[in-house]
């Protein structure tokens, strides 16, 4: 028996509660993709407001849809290990292509016809050059920053988290969102550095900041 | 040393990944409040679209903020067991009051002054009579429906989940959102009833539908 | 079908194995309320003996029943987050009242009539001014001390556990049980301070001892 | 550095929260020895009261100490798999002997001299022919009954739990505690059989009752 | 600081204990790739013996190395979700190519020069047409069969496991190992079908057997 | 109904995924016996090759069978706590005897007659004085070394892991496999000591090396 309809889409959301981020690494605390998506939407809410207070025009509907949908495609492929993503540009492109094809197939088969066009629009890659796309990129990297921060704070000595921490930090401060980046550097990093941590995060942070 | 600022708010989001819904009951699969909030925002995205296609005017910014923020207050009190919530109207009111006071204190102490008014607005109870408030109520109940559905489907014989299932169902079909309710009854329930389940859900469903 | 009888009480004991202490905080090891109650009864066995050897008269039946029953009410309300308990005296009183009412309702509905009076007696708040009540208070705080000690020892940098540790310590040494307090300060604290720990517990301990 | 004193005993209690009962079997829910000991003390509280109401004289101090201490020795040897215990009478005796020796060594090395005699008394095998010894045996078997009951109710098809269930049941109804056994058969079993279960427990129960 | 040497290879084995098979699906019991590899080597030991007793010549060194190494590459890419693997022949080939490249890079960088040639030999795809390659294929599919069997037996109603079960079964009986297939059909399937299961496995099994 | 045949053996392999090593100790990461056996076979593959390159003659079939089978008997008795194993020579012998008897019984009842002799051979104690027996001993101790190393590296302050670490190290360097021991001391220990760790492993390592 074939089940077609939005019911399949809704039950697939549950699958994302079982896709664990950073698969295969030792970590003191696991995070799933559903909870990650929610945290990203929360960060976006704050930085969208901050940019708006500094004069930007935010399309909120687009911003929130970008954040809550940005990792939905992992329901098809899982959270592929980071080194794979960076193994080669061809593979990265190929994987993006497959993801797109599987999403397309899913929408054609499971989403009621009247809604297909809207779903195609919503589920496509959100990290474009619009301010909403940049806010998504910023919020997504910020969650990577916080996930690595928490592991290092608790004493996880796996080098992968040092790499994740520094790589998220380096990307965050380069995203073209002047006010958000400034706020992050002046307020958030200060508060974060004031915390007691098992691993010396001030040093790891300075290494990145001084190179920029 | 006192840490004040948005950093505290951001790290508190992580706490909601550790607040488990339906504490103390046996379940085959646990759900945390962060992932729940994300699923609620996804359901709202669909039903908001459905209502809009049927002529309603949706304030999308408000709808998404209601859904992603609606359980943030659990960071202060946890997911209080259902029977407590229904023990007495006075207690329910008192708990709501305390929740409000703790939220207020949190905002005053942790959120930068320029953002406090916006946070007060966003974090207040969202289930009002606006169409966005009703969509939040609908989406929140739908997730309760799906959580109970999944447990019963897999053979959880705990009576609590029968109660949760039927109670969510009874409330869902009474929410004043004609098109969403109709779609739920005609499409989603049909697909759900077509699934193979360990516990007879068709019977439990009919008991509720026939009383309305 | 309504199930009435001691069977319901017995199966509800299992629920306390799923109520996790300190909900929502990151911890390296979780503890449930059932296991906590057992540890509290073990501590009480030792300190009751110590007080008896120093001339006190212990009602052992009462002491053990106080310890094994002291958190049974959490089966109704869960382990409410600490900040809520201290939010306001009215709320604390209200919650205690609700707990009592729910216990009363449970006993009237589930316990066979011949046993109801005995259950009312056993399940009421045990931390009174009798020596057994003080031993319960002492043993309960000692378990809080040990839970926080273990987290800090393993390097949990969450400030909550520093607070839990110091607050348990401060209360322990003020409980009117001269011999037990003296034994705790002279023997147990000495042995505990001699352990190798990730976080400097000697300093955190001295801060409290020197203020008393 | 050698740590001697009651602190070591107290921290060893935490170890019993990590000894899982029925190691190596698939189960929907795990139980640790600490929580098990607490449930056994709760059952004993009820059946001790029942026997007392029927004219027996209960030494409550002894009864509670037997129940909270009865599995402490597992801290040394773990929960040895059932088939091993029954492999041969010599092994069973040998293991009991080793357990005793390790307990003795532990008491001599960790417990302060003044308390050693009391600990020897309390930690020795509690399942003797006194009424308290029989109540311990009854309560311990009842927890085995409930653990197996819960697995079978939720549809665990592992034959081991059928064996555990029937074996606990067969032993329970043979323990020389007329009133407790009668209450178990007439009240508890009736309520238990009235529950909806995935596996047919009425049949498994009748098989045992009819043979007695 | 760069760590080069077999130490890195040895610690990477631990990573495979954290790669969970069948990521993102609900299951009653999880399996990691390390334990899976061990079970596959056990099955191969038996069926290798069976084929040898029926006259085949087995290169045991090769057989065991194929089984213990066959999923080592998942340390680089994780257990990619099944639908991705089958999305397109190009992607499958591309992924296999990337896996190979990453393995090559790993061997060049981490394995001491004297051992590199041996590692290249051992880590290459093992499912070739030799009898050892066919035994690996057979043993790998048998573990998929058993994983799905256990979920269905316990009542997992997720359609994915029905598909996994039937697909493993269909492939198993087509592998060109006459004696092993015959033994599987006549002995193992008979015993498996005799088990009590929550989901009707005899029917699901017949559907496949009758099509061949 | 009695199930006899290799199916029972195959399903018992799954049990070893639930036998946790080092039961009852706090650890940041658990390891099961199935995954351990796989890692041991991987270490043996490397050191067998190393010894072969240095002129030794390796019976690879025997070596791999020793490693994958060496802990199968734990399916009967579980992972008995270390202190028990060392409590007395008589007990150790008695336990070994019981293990052997249970294995014998299992083979007679579950393994098809034609295969019984082969299983007796394979399942007997593998740590003999042959080079394969010594390689098994070496690989088994190396996994104990790595398990303790990982806990200490992440900051586990439980003394048990210091003991495990030093005891594994002391035994490793005494095993009569000159080339393997030399490689371990010169290469692996060097790389391991170069890692950043929460607990000072260089010191703990030197304590052992200097005594030999």
């Amino acid at each position: 028996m074939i089940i077609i309809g939005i019911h399949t889409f809704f039950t697939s959301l549950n699958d994302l509660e079982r896709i664990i981020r950073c698969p295969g690494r030792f970590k003191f605390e696991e995070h799933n993709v559903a909870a990650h998506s929610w945290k990203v939407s929360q960060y976006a809410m704050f930085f969208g407001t901050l940019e708006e207070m500094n004069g930007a025009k935010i399309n909120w509907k687009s911003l929130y849809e970008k954040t809550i949908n940005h990792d939905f495609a992992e329901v098809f492929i899982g959270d592929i290990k980071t080194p794979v993503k960076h193994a080669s540009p061809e593979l990265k492109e190929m994987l993006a292509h497959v993801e797109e094809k599987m999403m397309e197939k899913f929408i054609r088969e499971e989403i009621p016809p009247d809604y297909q066009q809207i779903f195609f629009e919503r589920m496509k890659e959100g990290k474009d050059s619009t301010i909403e796309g940049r806010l998504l990129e910023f919020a997504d990297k910020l969650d990577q920053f916080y996930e690595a921060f928490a592991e290092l704070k608790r004493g996880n000595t796996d080098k992968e988290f040092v790499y994740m921490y520094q790589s998220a930090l380096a990307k965050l401060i380069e995203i073209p969102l002047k006010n958000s980046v400034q706020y992050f550097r002046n307020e958030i990093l200060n508060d974060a550095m004031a915390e007691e941590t098992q691993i010396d995060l001030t040093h790891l942070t300075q290494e990145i900041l001084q190179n920029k």
Side-chain angles (χ1 to χ4, degrees), chain A:
Chain A
M1 171 212 43
I2 293 164
I3 294 173
I4 290 183
I6 208 71
H7 173 64
T8 302
F9 173 69
F10 285 169
T11 53
S12 78
L13 300 176
N14 183 202
D15 291 359
L16 284 172
E17 294 179 87
R18 299 186 213 102
I19 302 282
I20 299 305
R21 282 167 61 80
C22 235
R25 312 305 308 187
F26 171 78
K27 40 197 128 44
F28 290 123
E29 185 170 32
E30 296 199 324
H31 303 278
N32 65 52
V33 173
H36 158 72
S37 298
W38 175 75
K39 287 184 291 178
V40 168
S41 68
Q42 285 281 348
Y43 304 138
M45 178 173 81
F46 179 77
F47 288 102
T49 304
L50 184 148
E51 294 291 341
E52 199 177 55
M53 285 169 79
N54 283 281
K57 173 101 193 67
I58 307 293
N59 179 339
W60 287 98
K61 179 170 188 290
S62 163
L63 179 58
Y64 287 127
E65 292 180 359
K66 276 175 188 288
T67 54
I68 65 175
N69 295 330
H70 81 287
D71 271 347
F72 181 74
E74 295 200 8
V75 92
F76 306 120
I77 61 164
D79 193 0
I80 288 206
K81 296 189 81 174
T82 315
V84 180
K85 292 188 206 159
H86 302 303
S88 80
E90 293 96 325
L91 181 75
K92 203 178 171 174
E93 207 177 296
M94 189 83 169
L95 280 170
H97 184 67
V98 168
E99 212 172 276
E100 210 180 290
K101 285 288 168 213
M102 295 183 78
M103 182 70 91
E104 196 178 311
K105 187 166 172 282
F106 180 80
I107 291 176
R108 294 238 179 277
E109 289 178 6
E110 307 296 352
I111 304 299
D114 293 356
Y115 298 81
Q116 292 189 359
Q117 197 45 51
I118 296 170
F119 268 77
F120 276 124
E121 202 53 40
R122 279 178 179 150
M123 295 298 177
K124 75 177 186 203
E125 172 56 38
K127 291 177 182 170
D128 51 30
S129 65
T130 62
I131 189 160
E132 295 82 18
R134 285 174 280 140
L135 280 164
L136 167 60
E137 174 77 11
F138 190 85
D140 197 23
K141 281 286 164 293
L142 187 59
D143 202 45
Q144 188 188 322
F145 170 85
Y146 269 122
E147 281 185 20
F149 179 82
E151 288 299 315
L152 297 168
K153 176 182 164 176
R154 290 163 191 158
N156 190 335
T157 52
D158 189 326
K159 286 284 170 210
E160 184 79 6
F161 289 101
V162 170
Y163 174 79
M164 253 180 80
Y165 179 79
Q166 292 194 319
S167 131
L169 186 57
K171 281 179 192 149
L172 268 174
I173 61 183
E174 298 282 303
I175 291 172
L177 285 169
K178 211 183 67 167
N179 302 295
S180 295
V181 169
Q182 191 180 333
Y183 193 90
F184 172 74
R185 288 186 74 143
N186 296 352
E187 305 293 330
I188 292 176
L189 268 186
N190 270 6
D191 286 352
M193 291 308 103
E195 287 204 37
E196 204 171 321
T197 60
Q198 294 284 337
I199 285 171
D200 181 2
L201 284 167
T202 304
H203 177 71
L204 294 176
T205 304
Q206 289 307 328
E207 277 185 3
I208 298 304
L209 297 187
Q210 280 155 10
N211 290 340
K212 302 289 167 175

